[in-house]
DNA sequence: TCTGGGGTCCTAGGACCC
DNA sequence: TCTGGGGTCCTAGGACCC
């Protein structure tokens, strides 16, 4: 129970019961696009794909929607997945992560808009700033969702859960005022449950759950609703005859440990009972920075080596730019290759001193490249840097003069 | 021409050190 | 000949998330 008014604890917290919210923007990218193209409201729309193929046929600068030039899925050819689908599109069976070619079979008439990440980041800042005005303790979970610690804001209330619901309603209205967008909130004693709860009454829902609600509201749900149980664990549980969170909760912990290992097995047992002590973390240092690209068509390591080499150098330069912009240097440089059969390899190499330099990164990445099989055609190439430290707090290694990049030799040169 | 791009965390083995 | 324990760092792969 939450401590009643008149007996708050020294730190303003409760007896251990927390009140944590999870806020999730509804169909975020697609909803931002609908702000720009209100005429599309009510129609199935998906966001995804590689580049804008919208162009007014007469060269005019009319809005492409008015001009009737927004492409439909049927006309799309090439690689790419759906980033977000409106609820009208989801009703046709498409969802984020689905390949566009497959989605085109299910919803050939759905409209396809290219992603505009700069714009989504702008709206992301707007909604987070709006929430911060009410509740400063926010944990960023990406562009369209956050956890919020309500505990210090409602602990002194006679009925903290009623106060939490009122606060959620206020926040939801403030987000709409600031952005024109709708969101859903889950409010429960911890992050795990709130994440599940925010999804229960989407879109535009507010779901408040207390510990006593777990059997009725959580246990009937599929195990995959638990954040951390993904496709693999879900399939394995299913093969063991466990489909719902309730069935998982009823499974003997030792039996779970036997099948999933000590750490994961014990965690799953606790999760199924709604137990989660993780705090709301308002700041964390980045651990790695990476850039990767999937090619329009698979590339051959030998035949396409010129193309690959310049793409590779470009990725290293982008990583270096990201490091500088964010103020970090890194020591562990790595590469990622995905082959045409979708198999994947990574190699990395740790250097003596942290660097931000594109030439140093390119050289280390080039060494990694020499340790990788290059028989198959490539689908994807990526460059990553880890073991980050704030730049300036460390010596960032020897400077490499400009122009050095072009003369670095490696397998792709 | 199914399957993007940016991340985090975990595991596990070997090297190396005390 | 057979016998140790940590602890940390590095590397590779994989699951998972948004």
């Amino acid at each position: 129970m939450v401590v009643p008014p008149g007996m708050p604890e020294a730190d303003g917290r409760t007896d251990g019961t927390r009140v944590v919210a999870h806020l999730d923007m509804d169909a975020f990218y697609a909803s931002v696009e609908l702000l720009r193209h209100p005429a599309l409201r009510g129609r199935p729309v998906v966001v995804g794909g590689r580049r804008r193929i919208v162009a007014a046929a007469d060269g005019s600068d009319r809005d492409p929607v008015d001009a009737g030039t927004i492409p439909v899925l049927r006309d799309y050819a090439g690689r790419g997945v759906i980033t977000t689908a409106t609820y009208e599109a989801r009703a046709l069976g498409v969802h984020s992560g689905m390949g566009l070619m497959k989605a085109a079979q299910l919803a050939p008439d759905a409209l396809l808009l290219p992603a505009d990440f700069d714009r989504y980041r702008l709206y992301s800042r707007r909604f987070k700033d709006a929430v911060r005005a009410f509740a400063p303790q926010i944990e960023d979970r990406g562009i369209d969702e956050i956890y919020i610690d309500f505990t210090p804001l409602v602990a002194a209330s006679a009925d903290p859960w009623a106060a939490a619901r009122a606060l959620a309603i206020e926040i939801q209205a403030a987000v709409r005022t600031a952005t024109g967008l709708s969101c859903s909130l889950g409010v429960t004693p911890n992050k795990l449950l709130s994440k599940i709860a925010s999804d229960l009454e989407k879109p535009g829902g507010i779901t408040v759950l207390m510990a006593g609600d777990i059997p009725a509201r959580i246990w009937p749900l599929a195990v995959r609703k638990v954040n951390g149980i993904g496709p693999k664990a879900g399939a394995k549980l299913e093969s063991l005859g466990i489909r719902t969170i309730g069935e998982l909760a009823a499974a003997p912990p030792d039996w779970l440990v036997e099948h999933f290992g000590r750490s994961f097995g014990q965690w799953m047992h606790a999760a199924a009972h709604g137990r989660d002590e993780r705090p709301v973390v308002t700041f964390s240092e980045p651990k790695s920075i990476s850039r990767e690209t999937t090619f329009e068509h698979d590339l051959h390591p030998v035949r396409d080596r010129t193309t690959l080499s310049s793409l590779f150098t470009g990725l290293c330069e982008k990583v270096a730019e990201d490091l500088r912009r964010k103020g970090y240097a890194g020591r562990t440089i790595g590469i990622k290759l995905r082959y045409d059969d979708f198999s994947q390899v990574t190699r990395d190499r740790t250097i003596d001193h942290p660097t931000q330099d594109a030439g140093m990164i390119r050289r280390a990445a080039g060494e990694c490249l020499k340790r990788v099989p290059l028989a198959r055609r490539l689908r994807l190439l990526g460059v990553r840097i880890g073991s980050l430290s704030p730049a300036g707090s460390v010596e960032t290694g020897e400077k490499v003069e400009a122009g050095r990049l072009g003369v670095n030799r490696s397998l792709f040169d």
Side-chain angles (χ1 to χ4, degrees), chain A residues 350-399:
Chain A
T350 300
I351 59 178
D352 290 341
H353 305 286
T355 187
Q356 289 186 309
D357 183 87
M360 298 261 287
I361 294 168
R362 170 70 218 239
R363 225 179 323 159
E367 285 180 36
C368 292
L369 209 46
K370 292 174 183 166
R371 313 204 309 264
V372 118
L374 289 174
R376 305 194 65 97
R377 278 146 61 104
L378 298 172
R379 176 188 180 89
L380 169 148
L381 186 58
V383 175
R384 181 178 48 84
I385 188 160
S387 308
L388 300 183
S389 48
S393 79
V394 290
E395 280 303 311
T396 52
E398 8 169 352
K399 291 290 169 205

Side-chain angles (χ1 to χ4, degrees), chain A residues 28-352:
Chain A
F28 184 55
Y29 298 173
S31 300
V32 172
E33 294 297 338
L34 289 181
L35 290 176
R36 182 162 28 179
H37 306 299
L40 301 187
R41 218 165 268 282
R43 302 182 61 183
V45 175
V46 304
V47 175
R50 185 167 287 262
R51 69 168 55 96
R52 183 172 285 275
I53 42 180
V54 178
D58 57 1
S60 76
D61 58 356
R62 281 183 301 162
D63 185 297
V65 183
D66 301 334
T69 52
I70 298 271
V72 291
L73 268 182
R74 168 188 294 115
D75 297 332
Y76 185 84
R79 295 189 158 150
V81 297
I82 290 178
T83 309
T84 314
T86 59
Y87 292 94
E88 289 81 2
R90 292 180 200 190
L92 300 172
V94 307
H95 54 81
S96 54
M98 179 181 282
L100 284 169
M101 300 304 283
K102 183 177 177 189
Q105 294 175 351
L106 292 167
D109 296 314
L111 297 155
L112 173 65
L113 294 171
D116 179 354
F117 287 98
D118 290 339
R119 197 170 181 85
Y120 309 148
R121 273 189 285 271
L122 173 69
Y123 278 88
S124 181
R125 275 195 299 277
R126 285 186 187 164
F127 97 74
K128 287 169 188 172
D129 287 345
V131 175
R132 230 172 249 119
F134 289 84
Q137 291 190 43
I138 288 177
E139 176 176 335
D140 233 297
R141 295 304 299 187
I143 201 163
D144 70 341
E145 59 183 79
I146 50 175
Y147 290 104
I148 316 164
D149 197 344
F150 278 10
T151 311
L153 304 171
V154 302
S157 167
D159 184 346
W161 293 100
R165 181 183 291 277
L167 182 55
I169 291 169
E170 277 189 290
I171 287 174
Q172 197 179 47
V175 168
R176 184 177 286 282
T177 300
T179 64
L181 300 170
S182 80
C183 63
S184 300
L185 287 99
V187 184
T188 82
N190 61 51
K191 295 203 289 189
L192 180 104
L193 291 172
S194 291
K195 170 74 177 166
I196 296 173
S198 70
D199 194 47
L200 287 180
E201 291 164 63
K202 260 185 171 298
I206 291 175
T207 306
V208 180
L209 298 181
M210 289 171 276
D213 298 320
I214 291 173
R217 303 295 304 276
I218 300 296
W219 282 354
L221 303 173
V223 291
R224 287 292 313 277
K225 294 289 180 184
V226 175
N227 198 245
I229 299 182
K232 299 284 182 180
K236 185 165 171 183
L237 283 167
E238 170 124 45
S239 79
L240 293 167
I242 292 181
R243 287 187 51 258
T244 68
I245 301 174
E247 288 163 355
L248 184 60
D254 288 349
W255 181 81
L256 288 174
V257 166
E258 205 176 292
H259 285 94
F260 293 92
R262 182 159 204 80
S263 170
F264 193 55
Q266 287 180 350
W267 172 81
M268 276 200 297
H269 178 75
H273 286 272
R275 292 194 281 267
D276 174 25
E277 299 294 326
R278 293 171 304 162
V280 173
V281 177
T282 55
F283 177 80
S284 66
E285 292 278 3
K287 303 281 191 288
S288 70
I289 288 172
S290 68
R291 289 284 187 149
E292 64 184 52
T293 185
T294 296
F295 314 131
E296 210 73 65
H297 308 282
D298 296 339
L299 295 177
H300 193 278
V302 176
R303 266 208 317 282
D304 301 311
R305 59 195 245 168
T306 314
T307 306
L308 282 164
S309 177
S310 77
L311 281 166
F312 191 44
T313 302
L315 290 169
C316 294
E317 286 167 345
K318 275 185 183 156
V319 167
E321 277 173 36
D322 294 343
L323 283 169
R324 254 188 292 277
R325 184 162 33 82
K326 297 178 179 179
Y328 290 91
R331 280 182 63 224
T332 304
I333 290 120
I335 61 165
K336 174 164 106 179
L337 274 63
R338 180 131 68 210
Y339 297 100
D340 55 1
D341 65 353
F342 235 73
S343 64
Q344 179 176 303
V345 298
T346 62
R347 294 290 182 270
D348 58 51
R349 174 177 172 86
T350 300
I351 59 178
D352 290 341

